[in-house]
Amino acid sequence: MLHKLPRLGHHQIVFRPFRNFDSTHCTAADNSLFKTFNYSLKTLLFARNEMGRKITVAVTTLNQWALDFEGNLARILQSILEAKDMGASYRTGPELEVCGYSCEDHFREPDTFLHSWETFLEIMMSPFCENMLVDVGMPVMHQNVAYNCRVVFFNRKLLLIRPKMAICDDGNYRESRWFTAWTKAQKTEEYFLPRLITQQTGQETVPFGDAVIATRETCIGYEICEELWNVHSKHIEMSLSGVELIVNGSGSYMELRKAHITNDLICNASFKAGGAYLFSNLRGCDGQRVYFNGCSAIALNGELLARGKQFALQDVEVILATIDLEEIRAYRVSLRSRCSSAARSVVYPRIRCDFEMSTHDDILKSPTPPLHFTYSTPEEEIALGPACWLWDYLRRSGQGGFFLPLSGGVDSSSSAAIVYSMCRQIVEAVQHGDAQVLYDIRKILADSDYTPINAAALCNRLLVTCYMGSVNSSKETRYRASQLANQLGSYHIEISIDLAVNALLGIFNAVTGLTPVFRMQGGCARQNLALQNIQSRIRMVLAYVFAQLMLWVRNRPGGLLVLGSSNVDESLRGYLTKYDCSSADINPIGGISKTDLLRFLGYAKKKFNLTVLESIIDAPPTAELEPLLENGELLQTDEEDMGMTYSELSEYGRLRKQFFCGPYSMFCRLVATWKNDLSPKEVAEKVKHFFRCYAINRHKMTVLTPSVHAEIYSPDDNRFDHRPFLYRANWSWQFKAIDDEVDKLQPVYIPLSTQLRLNSGEVLPLVDTSTQQSLHMDDSKHSSSMSSVSLDVGASTAGPPCIDNLETQGTKPSGFSKVHVNVLGKLKDRTGIPV
């Protein structure tokens, strides 16, 4: 009968028992077997006594670049070398690290798969990888289907290709456009390796599918990015099948206030299932509008052991932890319900790897203790994340710095402060010995001897700011812009755009014989808008002229990237002019709300000692595109122009995108949220005004300046927010549904604030539809000619009449009557306009 000793890792030692053993009566074969048994037993006890159960593993954060195979290869090899030097026996990396995550439709090109295999061969054959278990992320085509995979190898032999089993298609992700999920759970197939691999290794096939790696003392399983977030995460099944290390290569991007989610997920996964969870993530801008979040981490039994930086200029970051495997086993065996489930669990295919990740002399080796840390505040995330994104874009664009139209307002000041934050990080990285950052900044500045030691001095070399004043500009904004530039250290210039504006108006007058004038001078809404748009677009043209030539003026080669400064709320509302100074090369604040930018400037004032920011925060937001009053005061403010506050805009944005609310659903939510301050009719008018403005300005999102994604309600239609850009602006059906609810609520519903006003005798008038129409027609900071045409039409035809008017026409509050089969041109909408 065969007996088995307790498990050592996942292996078992088999031996024959010797009852009443007497060596004098043994044959030579029996003596040999007895010696073998004694040796095996001593080996087992030695392993138990001398530990041999502690393993050191490394997760890496890499700043890769789509299709940069040489650079990606160098960074992967650097991470392997650093992990090995730090004592790790296992290294894992981020998702699709070989080719870069954002290759997008290049994943449909055979070249991408070929070059990925060529790069992989260089990695696998490198002496850096000897005696180390390694896996990398890359695309693999199996039986004419493209998969997003982890490829595991040891000592120049491929062990497993593990394809992704849950594809991500939400937010900015569109993985199913290029990849297919592997659906054959706990099954593998034979993958025939490319000839270039076979010629170098002699290996012809490798298992492809849902399997795990079994080393001498432990077992390793894989999830890829979305599988951790998925409701049917694979780590549960794998842990029940005895997998002790779950490894995840990910490409997770930054959003404000979201850094805790990944840590929560991996800690919860290891807490519920027991075991270690190894999470590797990308960092930086690899060619798209997102900034990959870093934060690679290692968790054990519900506690975080190690975590990488969220924001850094470092291209390669390696973090590691030493794990006592017996802690995993003790933790799991104490969970009795888990043990019952494990006894019934499915058996994963195990790929054997003849490799011992631990050593027999690690009794004095201390496991990594739990890590305690605090998350960055949203203000810190704004200071660091977009700044790192700007750095990646700058150094990979081949340009020599930035050009920023600096108005002295919150938005452009925020863009300038983010560039200054980037300069601070560059100086800090160089002081800490980052040779890559030093090489990159010298290349950007075309100065091989330059070493940055001061953020302001570096900012002077990298950032040109320009105050583009006009006859409508105030002394206060000019002063604030000048003072901010002085405190940042930027190279600052001031120009007047009046000559250019007058020249364009002269051309118009020569053709038409007419000269438009502002509203306050007797002009109509169209003239008012056109005069403001001329100023905005002139600033864009001048920005590109100066960006192309300022380095020539300063005796340096190259050009500058034009920075935009429109925030996410203004984009959502459409409060920007097409092709004005918000139209730039890149925009560091395009994904950030106005309210968050104000908080960020308060943080930057203290953190960066920029005292002038206090007056910028306190100043009312204004575009200064209309003439000032006689006393020099502002006629125009942004919130008055928009007909809504920035805090309201944030609320609308979250409900529209994050909670998927149309006009009716948004009204239903807000009428409850704002019940203490506004009547149902007031809420209805606010919601309808927002959706009218959203509809007629949505077309502007098609030319939105690329910006780093930071806010969950971003209206960027490039990928994150797929909605039409041509709408029926009166939303007749939807608005009628709101009006019906108002009719039901208004007779019986009096908000608390209204009661207080009634008691004090100060009753505020309800907002009228015509008032909102006029507010929108005065949307003059950033309206385009297209939107102004829509406004003129909407003012006369699109505005829904009041319910009383509908009832006098004999129209019922809801429903519609039968019509003929041919309804085109005969069926009228709820406002009475023919469809």
Side-chain angles (χ1 to χ4, degrees), residues 333-493:
V333 79
S334 68
L335 304 175
R336 302 312 304 155
S337 63
R338 181 207 168 276
C339 293
S340 299
S341 298
R344 302 189 300 267
S345 67
V346 297
V347 176
Y348 266 77
R350 296 196 176 202
I351 311 301
R352 293 186 177 274
C353 175
D354 189 19
F355 175 51
E356 196 165 359
M357 296 172 65
S358 61
T359 59
H360 293 293
D361 56 354
D362 59 7
I363 190 170
L364 298 178
K365 196 173 186 178
S366 299
T368 303
L371 176 69
H372 301 284
F373 70 97
T374 56
Y375 294 101
S376 297
T377 65
E379 295 80 10
E380 291 172 322
E381 290 182 311
I382 294 171
L384 298 174
C388 292
W389 185 79
L390 282 181
W391 169 246
D392 280 348
Y393 199 100
L394 175 62
R395 67 195 180 109
R396 291 170 174 173
S397 69
Q399 299 301 303
F402 302 110
F403 181 91
L404 174 65
L406 186 63
S407 68
V410 168
D411 295 333
S412 62
S413 298
S414 297
S415 292
I418 288 172
V419 174
Y420 184 72
S421 174
M422 182 197 77
C423 293
R424 287 170 56 94
Q425 292 185 71
I426 292 171
V427 171
E428 182 180 358
V430 170
Q431 289 176 347
H432 283 81
D434 194 317
Q436 184 64 49
V437 172
L438 180 60
Y439 170 82
D440 287 335
I441 193 61
R442 286 175 171 175
K443 182 179 179 182
I444 290 167
L445 298 175
D447 187 346
S448 58
D449 298 323
Y450 177 71
T451 299
I453 57 175
N454 178 273
L458 178 59
C459 190
N460 183 267
R461 287 178 171 242
L462 287 178
L463 177 63
V464 175
T465 53
C466 178
Y467 181 82
M468 299 183 178
S470 74
V471 67
N472 301 321
S473 302
S474 65
K475 295 179 181 179
E476 289 78 12
T477 55
R478 182 188 300 269
Y479 174 77
R480 290 196 295 266
S482 175
Q483 286 296 104
L484 178 60
N486 182 59
Q487 293 181 14
L488 294 173
S490 66
Y491 186 94
H492 189 64
I493 56 178

Side-chain angles (χ1 to χ4, degrees), residues 621-747:
T622 176
E624 293 191 332
L625 295 174
E626 292 190 58
L628 302 173
L629 298 175
E630 292 183 1
N631 59 3
E633 293 184 357
L634 297 171
L635 171 68
Q636 177 190 49
T637 63
D638 291 348
E639 291 187 332
E640 289 179 0
D641 273 3
M642 293 190 299
M644 58 191 73
T645 66
Y646 283 106
S647 61
E648 288 172 346
L649 258 176
S650 294
E651 192 79 27
Y652 299 144
R654 292 186 187 280
L655 290 176
R656 181 198 69 96
K657 185 69 173 79
Q658 187 175 0
F659 297 99
F660 309 104
C661 288
Y664 177 72
S665 297
M666 186 179 291
F667 165 77
C668 292
R669 280 181 175 257
L670 291 178
V671 77
T673 304
W674 294 346
K675 62 185 177 184
N676 292 332
D677 299 307
L678 298 172
S679 71
K681 187 173 182 180
E682 288 176 307
V683 175
E685 291 304 328
K686 283 180 174 290
V687 170
K688 288 191 283 186
H689 178 54
F690 165 72
F691 273 99
R692 288 190 201 101
C693 298
Y694 170 78
I696 66 175
N697 290 299
R698 176 65 183 173
H699 64 93
K700 298 176 184 178
M701 297 305 96
T702 62
V703 296
L704 199 65
T705 297
S707 60
V708 57
H709 175 85
E711 185 55 78
I712 198 169
Y713 65 89
S714 169
D716 178 12
D717 82 332
N718 173 265
R719 169 167 304 170
F720 187 71
D721 188 24
H722 284 184
R723 285 173 168 82
F725 62 87
L726 181 61
Y727 281 95
R728 192 166 194 217
N730 65 356
W731 300 85
S732 57
W733 192 281
Q734 296 90 334
F735 286 3
K736 181 59 169 60
I738 294 175
D739 291 338
D740 288 346
E741 289 298 326
V742 171
D743 276 355
K744 296 174 186 177
L745 292 170
Q746 196 69 24

Side-chain angles (χ1 to χ4, degrees), residues 148 162-167 210 222-235 238 248 277:
N148 177 348
R162 202 284 194 174
K164 194 170 184 176
M165 300 184 70
I167 299 298
D210 186 20
Y222 294 90
E223 290 185 326
I224 302 176
C225 199
E226 178 66 12
E227 294 176 60
L228 172 61
W229 278 260
N230 192 270
V231 66
H232 294 296
S233 294
K234 303 298 292 183
H235 62 259
M238 285 188 285
N248 188 317
Y277 204 104

Side-chain angles (χ1 to χ4, degrees), residues 67 69-70 73 76-77 98-99 110-126 136 138-140 194-197 200:
L67 299 177
F69 291 98
E70 288 183 340
L73 169 63
I76 291 171
L77 289 177
V98 169
C99 57
D111 284 9
T112 304
F113 295 87
L114 170 63
H115 298 324
S116 294
W117 276 115
E118 291 171 341
T119 305
F120 173 80
L121 181 61
E122 293 287 339
I123 297 169
M124 185 173 64
M125 301 303 290
S126 170
V136 297
M138 59 181 279
V140 177
R195 281 179 293 179
L196 63 95
I197 302 294
Q200 294 293 324

